Amino acid sequence: MLASLRSLVPKDWDTEYEVSWNWFWENVERMLKTLLSKPKGQVKALSTFLSNLSEDQTNFLRRDVFRRFFLTAPAGQDYFKQSTTRLFFIADKVFAMTVDMFNSPRSMVEDISALGLRHVGYAIPTELFPPFVSSAVDVVRSITTNDMAESAFRWSLTLVSKILVRTILEGSTIVMKAVNTNSEKALRRAISVAPRGRRAQELLEISVGTQSISPLYWSIESGSHNCAKAMVEDLLTIRADRDNYYYGCDALFTRHPEVIHKLCVDARQLIWPLLDGLIWRSRISVQGQRRVNYYIKHLVQDGEGNFAQALEWLAASKDPRVAVHPVVVLFSDLMWTRVVMYHFLAERLYFAFTLAVFIISQSVFTRTANSQMGETENLVVFICRCFIYLGSMCFLLIRQVRLVIADFRAGDVMRFHGIPVPKCVLSAQDVGYIGLLTTLIIMCTQEPIFWCMGNMDGDFAGSGLFTSTCPEAVSHLEVYSITAGVSMFLYWLLIMNLSIFSMQISAFVLVCGQVLGELLLFLTSLAFLILAFATSVSAISHQLPDFAGKGWLGEVPSNMAGVTVVAVVLPLRGYFCHDDGGDSYDQDKP
Ligand code: HEM
């Protein structure tokens, strides 16, 4: 070191410099040597002190830190307005930090910088830190006689406090101060002094060391929505100087790619200003029309060029006002017509084709009571069914497995009584697909043609190539036919989303969906009333043969049947017989 210094200032260097530098570094060395051995003992003493505290002592520590602090600095009360539990939590954290500072100083400096930036958001004046530290040290001193533990605590907390103060001083920009007042005017005034090229950064990032905080996100999280709105508007205003245009759209979506999601969840009223900011309208009109630019790149693509999730988030917010914003309309239409429609159409057409094949195999070529199917028909049915099992069942299986794996990988899992359930199985459509897959698998296991494979030319009616009437298949026919019926119904149900190609049909389907819910409610209440009347009639002593019943439930089932006839069948019969005087049902016995 001395040699380097000498070479830096060769002309001025002399023995006096040499002596003084030697003296200085020897002193530093001596001080360091005496201090170097200390932290080991200090951290041990401090950890032992804190871990040996009884519950009463811990509570006393937690409580007294704030009591003493409020006595020495009454202004501190204005900031600590949280519940006692929260204050105790903070006190615990403060004590834990003093030990961690010894054990992992590097990571602690980063954590404290982040904490300091949060304190910037809480708008804590730096002059309150010394009284807080001295109050905490006083409390520790009052319950321990161990000097080593006390000095360790003092040294560590003072260091933490100094880092916090430094972070607060560096992080307290005028923008953050304006955010703390939640005044739109104050924010506009604060940002107006920033040069055009730096405005976006001032609003989006405050860095201290390796840590950073976003004033925009902070204002959203702390409920300063007036400021957040002003920030969004400022960011999405196009400015210019002689050489450049300045528009904060790229900066906003680069710093916060998930900003749409954040707004949908935490500040829905800001989505509209944000979307408005993505439109530029020319002042000049030509032939009654003016040019309009839509800046939708970040809504379509994320930073890595993948499909952005903006549309998904906007759809999940279920806000019709947002859905009709011109930006959303434009970019969703673009996505639909240029990308999604062809995939969707191809998938749906394939599904419609499988349905047609299924109908051919189950409903067109069927044997009746009087006639058996010929070999050609059997062959057609066999081919169709093989296609269904390979082309539809396997396709659905692969699709569903892929979705489940993707959900587990992305962590999109919900827990029901501790059992992880991927979110993809929770949508109505996917429940339908899973139902169809299940019924097709059951059909495949019960397929009569497969059961007859070993006995196609036996001695029974309808024998021949790919027959399904052999004795081996008889026991499987019932389950097979029921699942085939359910599958057919599910196929038709699932093809209904082709209705989106017509707005009118979609609206009708939507209304039907709503009405179905109401119908279900009505039927439930009807069932409740029937049960109520049936049990009430059973309680009455009567001689009505129609309402007499036996069995372990007594008269209740027959009463329920009777009440159902009175409540449902008679009114319907009355409705249909209205033309012939309306009294025909009076004579009829139900
Ligand atoms: C060495 C000094 C200090 C340390 C180590 C410290 C540490 C902490 C910690 C760990 C939290 C919890 C943060 C979180 O998990 O979100 C916190 C929160 C907080 N601190 Fe400090 N703090 C110090 C000084 C102060 C002072 C002097 C004040 C004000 C008078 C203050 C006011 C607050 C407030 C208002 C909160 C937010 C509580 C809430 O609502 O969650 N802190 N502090």
Side-chain angles (χ1 to χ4, degrees), residues 350 353-354 357 382-393:
Y350 179 69
F353 177 66
T354 52
V357 173
F382 175 71
I383 293 171
C384 289
R385 289 191 186 174
C386 284
F387 175 78
I388 291 294
Y389 297 133
L390 293 174
S392 185
M393 187 184 79

Side-chain angles (χ1 to χ4, degrees), residues 79-80 82 86 90 115 118-119 122 124 129 132 164:
Y79 299 93
F80 284 119
Q82 295 76 5
R86 181 74 187 157
I90 293 174
L115 182 67
R118 287 214 289 284
H119 280 72
Y122 306 143
I124 311 293
F129 280 81
F132 185 81
L164 280 177

Side-chain angles (χ1 to χ4, degrees), residues 70 101 104 117 160 198-199 228-229 238 266 343 354 382 402 425 452 470 474 498 517:
F70 295 151
M101 196 65 200
S104 44
L117 286 173
V160 171
R198 281 194 52 81
R199 277 173 105 102
K229 184 167 172 269
I238 299 180
D266 289 338
H343 289 277
T354 52
F382 175 71
R402 268 195 194 156
V425 303
C452 291
C470 66
V474 174
L498 265 181

Side-chain angles (χ1 to χ4, degrees), residues 7-194:
S7 62
L8 275 175
V9 275
K11 279 188 192 156
D12 302 330
W13 194 263
D14 58 21
T15 45
E16 255 180 71
Y17 278 112
E18 194 119 2
V19 171
S20 39
W21 271 99
N22 270 335
W23 175 88
F24 174 72
W25 284 112
E26 272 161 18
N27 268 326
V28 170
E29 189 187 352
R30 201 174 48 250
M31 281 159 73
L32 274 177
K33 270 186 181 159
T34 47
L35 282 176
L36 268 177
S37 56
K38 273 193 173 177
K40 239 184 196 173
Q42 284 187 329
V43 68
K44 206 170 166 195
L46 186 59
S47 317
T48 321
F49 161 70
L50 288 176
S51 55
N52 285 348
L53 287 174
S54 66
E55 206 178 319
D56 286 346
Q57 283 176 319
T58 314
N59 278 337
F60 171 78
L61 261 183
R62 292 162 168 170
R63 206 178 290 276
D64 231 40
V65 168
F66 291 103
R67 194 184 62 79
R68 283 178 195 241
F69 174 57
F70 295 151
L71 275 179
T72 32
Q77 294 178 72
D78 297 339
Y79 299 93
F80 284 119
K81 292 182 198 151
Q82 295 76 5
S83 64
T84 315
T85 324
R86 181 74 187 157
L87 291 188
F88 281 12
F89 164 80
I90 293 174
D92 285 350
K93 276 215 143 191
V94 171
F95 286 107
M97 280 165 79
T98 54
V99 181
D100 294 344
M101 196 65 200
F102 283 102
N103 293 331
S104 44
R106 265 175 203 280
S107 68
M108 274 310 282
V109 170
E110 290 195 1
D111 291 353
I112 296 169
S113 302
L115 182 67
L117 286 173
R118 287 214 289 284
H119 280 72
V120 173
Y122 306 143
I124 311 293
T126 47
E127 54 273 15
L128 289 178
F129 280 81
F132 185 81
V133 173
S134 52
S135 310
V137 175
D138 284 351
V139 182
V140 170
R141 191 182 303 130
S142 69
I143 55 169
T144 181
T145 48
N146 185 341
D147 285 347
M148 180 89 95
E150 185 212 315
S151 67
F153 182 77
R154 188 186 327 109
W155 179 82
S156 181
L157 193 61
T158 311
L159 186 59
V160 171
S161 156
K162 278 184 181 164
I163 301 174
L164 280 177
V165 168
R166 202 202 94 215
T167 317
I168 292 176
L169 290 178
E170 277 184 35
S172 296
T173 60
I174 42 176
V175 171
M176 274 312 264
K177 283 181 185 157
V179 169
N180 290 329
T181 61
N182 190 19
S183 152
E184 195 176 329
K185 211 170 152 193
L187 187 110
R188 287 194 197 283
R189 203 178 313 128
I191 197 64
S192 64
V193 294

Side-chain angles (χ1 to χ4, degrees), residues 542-549 558-559 561-562 589-590:
H542 63 82
Q543 305 301 321
L544 300 169
D546 284 346
F547 288 84
S558 58
N559 284 359
K589 232 180 137 208

Side-chain angles (χ1 to χ4, degrees), residues 236-247:
L236 299 178
T237 301
I238 299 180
R239 298 186 177 81
D241 56 25
R242 278 172 211 277
D243 302 321
N244 288 312
Y245 281 106
Y246 300 96
Y247 183 44

